PDB file of all heavy atoms in Angstrom:
ATOM      1  N   THR A   1     -32.327-183.197  60.492  1.00 92.00           N
ATOM      2  CA  THR A   1     -33.436-183.940  61.089  1.00 92.00           C
ATOM      3  C   THR A   1     -32.971-184.763  62.284  1.00 92.00           C
ATOM      4  O   THR A   1     -33.682-184.888  63.292  1.00 92.00           O
ATOM      5  CB  THR A   1     -34.073-184.870  60.037  1.00 92.00           C
ATOM      6  OG1 THR A   1     -34.560-184.075  58.953  1.00 92.00           O
ATOM      7  CG2 THR A   1     -35.221-185.670  60.636  1.00 92.00           C
ATOM      8  N   GLU A   2     -31.749-185.298  62.207  1.00 89.00           N
ATOM      9  CA  GLU A   2     -31.240-186.183  63.253  1.00 89.00           C
ATOM     10  C   GLU A   2     -30.491-185.436  64.355  1.00 89.00           C
ATOM     11  O   GLU A   2     -30.270-185.994  65.429  1.00 89.00           O
ATOM     12  CB  GLU A   2     -30.288-187.211  62.627  1.00 89.00           C
ATOM     13  CG  GLU A   2     -30.950-188.123  61.605  1.00 89.00           C
ATOM     14  CD  GLU A   2     -29.943-189.022  60.908  1.00 89.00           C
ATOM     15  OE1 GLU A   2     -28.776-189.046  61.353  1.00 89.00           O
ATOM     16  OE2 GLU A   2     -30.328-189.696  59.938  1.00 89.00           O
ATOM     17  N   ALA A   3     -30.099-184.189  64.116  1.00 85.00           N
ATOM     18  CA  ALA A   3     -29.185-183.493  65.029  1.00 85.00           C
ATOM     19  C   ALA A   3     -29.860-183.090  66.324  1.00 85.00           C
ATOM     20  O   ALA A   3     -31.055-182.773  66.353  1.00 85.00           O
ATOM     21  CB  ALA A   3     -28.611-182.255  64.346  1.00 85.00           C
ATOM     22  N   ASP A   4     -29.066-183.083  67.402  1.00 78.00           N
ATOM     23  CA  ASP A   4     -29.547-182.500  68.648  1.00 78.00           C
ATOM     24  C   ASP A   4     -29.291-180.999  68.615  1.00 78.00           C
ATOM     25  O   ASP A   4     -28.655-180.469  67.696  1.00 78.00           O
ATOM     26  CB  ASP A   4     -28.871-183.151  69.871  1.00 78.00           C
ATOM     27  CG  ASP A   4     -27.354-183.019  69.852  1.00 78.00           C
ATOM     28  OD1 ASP A   4     -26.821-182.158  69.115  1.00 78.00           O
ATOM     29  OD2 ASP A   4     -26.690-183.767  70.586  1.00 78.00           O
ATOM     30  N   GLU A   5     -29.775-180.311  69.641  1.00 73.00           N
ATOM     31  CA  GLU A   5     -29.672-178.855  69.653  1.00 73.00           C
ATOM     32  C   GLU A   5     -28.226-178.383  69.647  1.00 73.00           C
ATOM     33  O   GLU A   5     -27.889-177.378  69.035  1.00 73.00           O
ATOM     34  CB  GLU A   5     -30.398-178.308  70.886  1.00 73.00           C
ATOM     35  CG  GLU A   5     -30.468-176.785  70.943  1.00 73.00           C
ATOM     36  CD  GLU A   5     -31.273-176.291  72.122  1.00 73.00           C
ATOM     37  OE1 GLU A   5     -31.934-177.127  72.785  1.00 73.00           O
ATOM     38  OE2 GLU A   5     -31.238-175.085  72.386  1.00 73.00           O
ATOM     39  N   ARG A   6     -27.360-179.133  70.322  1.00 70.00           N
ATOM     40  CA  ARG A   6     -25.960-178.717  70.447  1.00 70.00           C
ATOM     41  C   ARG A   6     -25.253-178.651  69.093  1.00 70.00           C
ATOM     42  O   ARG A   6     -24.458-177.761  68.845  1.00 70.00           O
ATOM     43  CB  ARG A   6     -25.237-179.690  71.379  1.00 70.00           C
ATOM     44  CG  ARG A   6     -23.805-179.309  71.672  1.00 70.00           C
ATOM     45  CD  ARG A   6     -23.210-180.270  72.682  1.00 70.00           C
ATOM     46  NE  ARG A   6     -21.849-179.924  73.013  1.00 70.00           N
ATOM     47  CZ  ARG A   6     -21.102-180.602  73.864  1.00 70.00           C
ATOM     48  NH1 ARG A   6     -21.610-181.657  74.466  1.00 70.00           N
ATOM     49  NH2 ARG A   6     -19.874-180.233  74.117  1.00 70.00           N
ATOM     50  N   GLY A   7     -25.533-179.643  68.219  1.00 76.00           N
ATOM     51  CA  GLY A   7     -24.827-179.683  66.947  1.00 76.00           C
ATOM     52  C   GLY A   7     -25.546-178.992  65.806  1.00 76.00           C
ATOM     53  O   GLY A   7     -25.038-178.951  64.687  1.00 76.00           O
ATOM     54  N   ARG A   8     -26.714-178.446  66.069  1.00 86.00           N
ATOM     55  CA  ARG A   8     -27.548-177.919  64.994  1.00 86.00           C
ATOM     56  C   ARG A   8     -26.985-176.659  64.354  1.00 86.00           C
ATOM     57  O   ARG A   8     -27.077-176.482  63.131  1.00 86.00           O
ATOM     58  CB  ARG A   8     -28.958-177.655  65.522  1.00 86.00           C
ATOM     59  CG  ARG A   8     -29.978-177.468  64.429  1.00 86.00           C
ATOM     60  CD  ARG A   8     -31.381-177.514  64.953  1.00 86.00           C
ATOM     61  NE  ARG A   8     -32.342-177.240  63.904  1.00 86.00           N
ATOM     62  CZ  ARG A   8     -32.789-178.132  63.032  1.00 86.00           C
ATOM     63  NH1 ARG A   8     -32.368-179.380  63.095  1.00 86.00           N
ATOM     64  NH2 ARG A   8     -33.659-177.792  62.089  1.00 86.00           N
ATOM     65  N   ALA A   9     -26.357-175.776  65.158  1.00 81.00           N
ATOM     66  CA  ALA A   9     -25.881-174.507  64.602  1.00 81.00           C
ATOM     67  C   ALA A   9     -24.842-174.730  63.500  1.00 81.00           C
ATOM     68  O   ALA A   9     -24.901-174.091  62.445  1.00 81.00           O
ATOM     69  CB  ALA A   9     -25.299-173.633  65.712  1.00 81.00           C
ATOM     70  N   ARG A  10     -23.905-175.643  63.748  1.00 84.00           N
ATOM     71  CA  ARG A  10     -22.885-175.927  62.739  1.00 84.00           C
ATOM     72  C   ARG A  10     -23.518-176.444  61.464  1.00 84.00           C
ATOM     73  O   ARG A  10     -23.118-176.066  60.346  1.00 84.00           O
ATOM     74  CB  ARG A  10     -21.895-176.936  63.315  1.00 84.00           C
ATOM     75  CG  ARG A  10     -20.776-177.331  62.375  1.00 84.00           C
ATOM     76  CD  ARG A  10     -19.654-178.011  63.147  1.00 84.00           C
ATOM     77  NE  ARG A  10     -20.131-179.133  63.942  1.00 84.00           N
ATOM     78  CZ  ARG A  10     -20.163-180.386  63.518  1.00 84.00           C
ATOM     79  NH1 ARG A  10     -19.771-180.676  62.292  1.00 84.00           N
ATOM     80  NH2 ARG A  10     -20.577-181.362  64.299  1.00 84.00           N
ATOM     81  N   LEU A  11     -24.517-177.307  61.594  1.00 93.00           N
ATOM     82  CA  LEU A  11     -25.202-177.843  60.423  1.00 93.00           C
ATOM     83  C   LEU A  11     -25.969-176.760  59.680  1.00 93.00           C
ATOM     84  O   LEU A  11     -26.015-176.749  58.445  1.00 93.00           O
ATOM     85  CB  LEU A  11     -26.148-178.962  60.852  1.00 93.00           C
ATOM     86  CG  LEU A  11     -25.489-180.233  61.379  1.00 93.00           C
ATOM     87  CD1 LEU A  11     -26.546-181.156  61.972  1.00 93.00           C
ATOM     88  CD2 LEU A  11     -24.714-180.947  60.287  1.00 93.00           C
ATOM     89  N   LEU A  12     -26.569-175.843  60.419  1.00 94.00           N
ATOM     90  CA  LEU A  12     -27.330-174.770  59.783  1.00 94.00           C
ATOM     91  C   LEU A  12     -26.433-173.906  58.914  1.00 94.00           C
ATOM     92  O   LEU A  12     -26.834-173.459  57.838  1.00 94.00           O
ATOM     93  CB  LEU A  12     -28.027-173.923  60.842  1.00 94.00           C
ATOM     94  CG  LEU A  12     -29.262-174.555  61.503  1.00 94.00           C
ATOM     95  CD1 LEU A  12     -29.676-173.752  62.722  1.00 94.00           C
ATOM     96  CD2 LEU A  12     -30.415-174.657  60.512  1.00 94.00           C
ATOM     97  N   ARG A  13     -25.217-173.649  59.385  1.00 92.00           N
ATOM     98  CA  ARG A  13     -24.286-172.845  58.568  1.00 92.00           C
ATOM     99  C   ARG A  13     -23.989-173.550  57.245  1.00 92.00           C
ATOM    100  O   ARG A  13     -23.955-172.918  56.185  1.00 92.00           O
ATOM    101  CB  ARG A  13     -23.007-172.583  59.351  1.00 92.00           C
ATOM    102  CG  ARG A  13     -23.230-171.715  60.581  1.00 92.00           C
ATOM    103  CD  ARG A  13     -21.933-171.399  61.306  1.00 92.00           C
ATOM    104  NE  ARG A  13     -22.235-170.631  62.511  1.00 92.00           N
ATOM    105  CZ  ARG A  13     -22.269-171.136  63.734  1.00 92.00           C
ATOM    106  NH1 ARG A  13     -22.005-172.412  63.927  1.00 92.00           N
ATOM    107  NH2 ARG A  13     -22.555-170.370  64.769  1.00 92.00           N
ATOM    108  N   GLY A  14     -23.775-174.859  57.314  1.00 95.00           N
ATOM    109  CA  GLY A  14     -23.559-175.608  56.085  1.00 95.00           C
ATOM    110  C   GLY A  14     -24.778-175.587  55.189  1.00 95.00           C
ATOM    111  O   GLY A  14     -24.664-175.463  53.964  1.00 95.00           O
ATOM    112  N   ALA A  15     -25.962-175.677  55.789  1.00 96.00           N
ATOM    113  CA  ALA A  15     -27.195-175.655  55.002  1.00 96.00           C
ATOM    114  C   ALA A  15     -27.363-174.332  54.273  1.00 96.00           C
ATOM    115  O   ALA A  15     -27.821-174.294  53.116  1.00 96.00           O
ATOM    116  CB  ALA A  15     -28.394-175.914  55.916  1.00 96.00           C
ATOM    117  N   VAL A  16     -27.001-173.231  54.920  1.00 96.00           N
ATOM    118  CA  VAL A  16     -27.094-171.917  54.269  1.00 96.00           C
ATOM    119  C   VAL A  16     -26.173-171.869  53.052  1.00 96.00           C
ATOM    120  O   VAL A  16     -26.570-171.412  51.969  1.00 96.00           O
ATOM    121  CB  VAL A  16     -26.744-170.794  55.270  1.00 96.00           C
ATOM    122  CG1 VAL A  16     -26.648-169.452  54.548  1.00 96.00           C
ATOM    123  CG2 VAL A  16     -27.796-170.716  56.375  1.00 96.00           C
ATOM    124  N   GLU A  17     -24.945-172.350  53.208  1.00 95.00           N
ATOM    125  CA  GLU A  17     -24.000-172.317  52.089  1.00 95.00           C
ATOM    126  C   GLU A  17     -24.495-173.162  50.923  1.00 95.00           C
ATOM    127  O   GLU A  17     -24.371-172.764  49.750  1.00 95.00           O
ATOM    128  CB  GLU A  17     -22.626-172.806  52.564  1.00 95.00           C
ATOM    129  CG  GLU A  17     -21.946-171.861  53.546  1.00 95.00           C
ATOM    130  CD  GLU A  17     -20.525-172.277  53.844  1.00 95.00           C
ATOM    131  OE1 GLU A  17     -19.823-172.696  52.893  1.00 95.00           O
ATOM    132  OE2 GLU A  17     -20.108-172.189  55.008  1.00 95.00           O
ATOM    133  N   ILE A  18     -25.050-174.325  51.218  1.00 97.00           N
ATOM    134  CA  ILE A  18     -25.549-175.188  50.147  1.00 97.00           C
ATOM    135  C   ILE A  18     -26.793-174.577  49.510  1.00 97.00           C
ATOM    136  O   ILE A  18     -26.992-174.660  48.285  1.00 97.00           O
ATOM    137  CB  ILE A  18     -25.820-176.603  50.687  1.00 97.00           C
ATOM    138  CG1 ILE A  18     -24.500-177.238  51.150  1.00 97.00           C
ATOM    139  CG2 ILE A  18     -26.460-177.477  49.614  1.00 97.00           C
ATOM    140  CD1 ILE A  18     -24.671-178.519  51.940  1.00 97.00           C
ATOM    141  N   ALA A  19     -27.628-173.934  50.305  1.00 97.00           N
ATOM    142  CA  ALA A  19     -28.797-173.239  49.742  1.00 97.00           C
ATOM    143  C   ALA A  19     -28.351-172.143  48.781  1.00 97.00           C
ATOM    144  O   ALA A  19     -28.973-171.950  47.718  1.00 97.00           O
ATOM    145  CB  ALA A  19     -29.646-172.652  50.872  1.00 97.00           C
ATOM    146  N   PHE A  20     -27.298-171.424  49.124  1.00 97.00           N
ATOM    147  CA  PHE A  20     -26.760-170.420  48.193  1.00 97.00           C
ATOM    148  C   PHE A  20     -26.360-171.081  46.872  1.00 97.00           C
ATOM    149  O   PHE A  20     -26.636-170.563  45.792  1.00 97.00           O
ATOM    150  CB  PHE A  20     -25.540-169.724  48.805  1.00 97.00           C
ATOM    151  CG  PHE A  20     -25.869-168.716  49.876  1.00 97.00           C
ATOM    152  CD1 PHE A  20     -24.937-168.431  50.875  1.00 97.00           C
ATOM    153  CD2 PHE A  20     -27.074-168.038  49.886  1.00 97.00           C
ATOM    154  CE1 PHE A  20     -25.216-167.489  51.860  1.00 97.00           C
ATOM    155  CE2 PHE A  20     -27.368-167.096  50.864  1.00 97.00           C
ATOM    156  CZ  PHE A  20     -26.435-166.829  51.855  1.00 97.00           C
ATOM    157  N   ALA A  21     -25.669-172.236  46.977  1.00 96.00           N
ATOM    158  CA  ALA A  21     -25.214-172.929  45.765  1.00 96.00           C
ATOM    159  C   ALA A  21     -26.397-173.374  44.912  1.00 96.00           C
ATOM    160  O   ALA A  21     -26.297-173.421  43.683  1.00 96.00           O
ATOM    161  CB  ALA A  21     -24.357-174.135  46.144  1.00 96.00           C
ATOM    162  N   ARG A  22     -27.527-173.680  45.545  1.00 96.00           N
ATOM    163  CA  ARG A  22     -28.736-174.077  44.811  1.00 96.00           C
ATOM    164  C   ARG A  22     -29.497-172.875  44.271  1.00 96.00           C
ATOM    165  O   ARG A  22     -30.450-173.027  43.506  1.00 96.00           O
ATOM    166  CB  ARG A  22     -29.670-174.868  45.728  1.00 96.00           C
ATOM    167  CG  ARG A  22     -29.115-176.152  46.263  1.00 96.00           C
ATOM    168  CD  ARG A  22     -30.094-176.809  47.230  1.00 96.00           C
ATOM    169  NE  ARG A  22     -31.188-177.461  46.526  1.00 96.00           N
ATOM    170  CZ  ARG A  22     -32.475-177.305  46.813  1.00 96.00           C
ATOM    171  NH1 ARG A  22     -32.836-176.477  47.779  1.00 96.00           N
ATOM    172  NH2 ARG A  22     -33.399-177.955  46.125  1.00 96.00           N
ATOM    173  N   GLY A  23     -29.117-171.673  44.701  1.00 95.00           N
ATOM    174  CA  GLY A  23     -29.871-170.488  44.336  1.00 95.00           C
ATOM    175  C   GLY A  23     -31.179-170.377  45.084  1.00 95.00           C
ATOM    176  O   GLY A  23     -32.098-169.653  44.663  1.00 95.00           O
ATOM    177  N   ASP A  24     -31.267-171.080  46.196  1.00 97.00           N
ATOM    178  CA  ASP A  24     -32.498-171.119  46.988  1.00 97.00           C
ATOM    179  C   ASP A  24     -32.366-170.127  48.147  1.00 97.00           C
ATOM    180  O   ASP A  24     -32.053-170.488  49.280  1.00 97.00           O
ATOM    181  CB  ASP A  24     -32.710-172.544  47.507  1.00 97.00           C
ATOM    182  CG  ASP A  24     -34.031-172.719  48.243  1.00 97.00           C
ATOM    183  OD1 ASP A  24     -34.720-171.711  48.468  1.00 97.00           O
ATOM    184  OD2 ASP A  24     -34.360-173.871  48.589  1.00 97.00           O
ATOM    185  N   LEU A  25     -32.622-168.857  47.851  1.00 97.00           N
ATOM    186  CA  LEU A  25     -32.411-167.813  48.858  1.00 97.00           C
ATOM    187  C   LEU A  25     -33.450-167.875  49.977  1.00 97.00           C
ATOM    188  O   LEU A  25     -33.157-167.500  51.113  1.00 97.00           O
ATOM    189  CB  LEU A  25     -32.436-166.443  48.185  1.00 97.00           C
ATOM    190  CG  LEU A  25     -31.362-166.200  47.128  1.00 97.00           C
ATOM    191  CD1 LEU A  25     -31.386-164.741  46.668  1.00 97.00           C
ATOM    192  CD2 LEU A  25     -29.979-166.564  47.636  1.00 97.00           C
ATOM    193  N   ASP A  26     -34.653-168.358  49.659  1.00 97.00           N
ATOM    194  CA  ASP A  26     -35.668-168.458  50.710  1.00 97.00           C
ATOM    195  C   ASP A  26     -35.252-169.472  51.776  1.00 97.00           C
ATOM    196  O   ASP A  26     -35.406-169.212  52.982  1.00 97.00           O
ATOM    197  CB  ASP A  26     -37.018-168.849  50.105  1.00 97.00           C
ATOM    198  CG  ASP A  26     -37.627-167.736  49.269  1.00 97.00           C
ATOM    199  OD1 ASP A  26     -37.213-166.570  49.453  1.00 97.00           O
ATOM    200  OD2 ASP A  26     -38.498-168.036  48.431  1.00 97.00           O
ATOM    201  N   SER A  27     -34.732-170.627  51.354  1.00 96.00           N
ATOM    202  CA  SER A  27     -34.256-171.621  52.330  1.00 96.00           C
ATOM    203  C   SER A  27     -33.057-171.094  53.097  1.00 96.00           C
ATOM    204  O   SER A  27     -32.934-171.327  54.305  1.00 96.00           O
ATOM    205  CB  SER A  27     -33.888-172.930  51.626  1.00 96.00           C
ATOM    206  OG  SER A  27     -35.043-173.576  51.121  1.00 96.00           O
ATOM    207  N   ALA A  28     -32.168-170.386  52.408  1.00 96.00           N
ATOM    208  CA  ALA A  28     -31.020-169.807  53.092  1.00 96.00           C
ATOM    209  C   ALA A  28     -31.478-168.837  54.178  1.00 96.00           C
ATOM    210  O   ALA A  28     -30.971-168.854  55.309  1.00 96.00           O
ATOM    211  CB  ALA A  28     -30.109-169.095  52.094  1.00 96.00           C
ATOM    212  N   GLU A  29     -32.447-168.003  53.841  1.00 95.00           N
ATOM    213  CA  GLU A  29     -32.953-167.039  54.820  1.00 95.00           C
ATOM    214  C   GLU A  29     -33.648-167.743  55.983  1.00 95.00           C
ATOM    215  O   GLU A  29     -33.489-167.349  57.155  1.00 95.00           O
ATOM    216  CB  GLU A  29     -33.916-166.071  54.147  1.00 95.00           C
ATOM    217  CG  GLU A  29     -34.372-164.949  55.060  1.00 95.00           C
ATOM    218  CD  GLU A  29     -35.097-163.847  54.300  1.00 95.00           C
ATOM    219  OE1 GLU A  29     -35.385-164.024  53.093  1.00 95.00           O
ATOM    220  OE2 GLU A  29     -35.375-162.809  54.932  1.00 95.00           O
ATOM    221  N   ARG A  30     -34.373-168.797  55.712  1.00 95.00           N
ATOM    222  CA  ARG A  30     -35.061-169.542  56.777  1.00 95.00           C
ATOM    223  C   ARG A  30     -34.050-170.160  57.744  1.00 95.00           C
ATOM    224  O   ARG A  30     -34.205-170.063  58.962  1.00 95.00           O
ATOM    225  CB  ARG A  30     -35.932-170.639  56.138  1.00 95.00           C
ATOM    226  CG  ARG A  30     -36.575-171.575  57.141  1.00 95.00           C
ATOM    227  CD  ARG A  30     -37.646-172.421  56.463  1.00 95.00           C
ATOM    228  NE  ARG A  30     -37.164-173.059  55.249  1.00 95.00           N
ATOM    229  CZ  ARG A  30     -36.507-174.213  55.219  1.00 95.00           C
ATOM    230  NH1 ARG A  30     -36.244-174.841  56.361  1.00 95.00           N
ATOM    231  NH2 ARG A  30     -36.127-174.739  54.072  1.00 95.00           N
TER     232      ARG A  30
END
């Protein structure tokens, strides 16, 4: 929510990994 465009890609990769850990494949795909 706070990130600028430059730093967002790195955060998105982390979000995908955490979504996998939650079993939330829809969020990972988004």
Side-chain angles (χ1 to χ4, degrees):
T1 300
E2 298 174 9
D4 59 18
E5 185 176 350
R6 184 176 181 180
R8 196 167 176 82
R10 180 164 54 92
L11 292 171
L12 285 168
R13 295 183 183 101
V16 172
E17 292 188 40
I18 296 169
F20 285 153
R22 298 176 77 229
D24 185 353
L25 299 187
D26 290 340
S27 291
E29 186 168 8
R30 174 167 50 85

